[in-house]
Amino acid sequence: IPTSLGKLQRLSHLSLSSNNLEGSIPDTLTNIPRLVNLALDENNLSGEIPPSIGKLVELRSLNLMENRLETLPSEVGLMRKLDLLDVGENNIDG
């Protein structure tokens, strides 16, 4: 995922679903203050969901299903407007 996406300050919807993306979710995605919908499902993303995800306080939908992610940080609880959280079919413990 290009880190330059974090510079798109007016972006409200980002869908990169089903693109065979690999690697981790970059922290820079959490620098998009107006993001309402983030869909990274059906890829090969791995590692941690960055704790900085909690900065996305406008987020209503977060779809991370069907990846190889390993953690769900407690900072997700800071996203008070979140209506949909899908992390199914990952490797999340706890």
Side-chain angles (χ1 to χ4, degrees), residues 57-90:
V57 295
E58 297 299 320
L59 205 63
R60 293 186 179 274
S61 174
L62 178 58
N63 189 344
L64 301 173
M65 69 178 280
E66 294 186 40
N67 282 289
R68 294 179 292 134
L69 299 167
E70 298 169 0
T71 62
L72 182 63
S74 61
E75 287 82 357
V76 168
L78 300 173
M79 301 184 320
R80 304 279 183 206
K81 294 183 180 182
L82 197 63
D83 293 326
L84 172 74
L85 172 61
D86 194 340
V87 293
E89 299 184 48
N90 279 284

Side-chain angles (χ1 to χ4, degrees), residues 14-21 38-43 63:
L14 177 59
S15 177
L16 297 173
S17 301
S18 303
N19 279 293
N20 293 317
L21 297 171
L38 178 58
L40 300 174
D41 54 303
E42 298 182 30
N43 284 293
N63 189 344

Side-chain angles (χ1 to χ4, degrees), residues 4-68:
S4 59
L5 290 175
K7 296 178 181 178
L8 301 174
Q9 298 293 300
R10 300 187 70 198
L11 192 66
S12 62
H13 299 271
L14 177 59
S15 177
L16 297 173
S17 301
S18 303
N19 279 293
N20 293 317
L21 297 171
E22 296 182 344
S24 60
I25 299 172
D27 279 329
T28 53
L29 282 186
T30 66
N31 294 332
I32 307 172
R34 296 181 183 170
L35 202 58
V36 173
N37 180 3
L38 178 58
L40 300 174
D41 54 303
E42 298 182 30
N43 284 293
N44 292 307
L45 299 172
S46 59
E48 296 184 346
I49 299 169
S52 57
I53 196 93
K55 295 190 318 186
L56 296 175
V57 295
E58 297 299 320
L59 205 63
R60 293 186 179 274
S61 174
L62 178 58
N63 189 344
L64 301 173
M65 69 178 280
E66 294 186 40
N67 282 289
R68 294 179 292 134

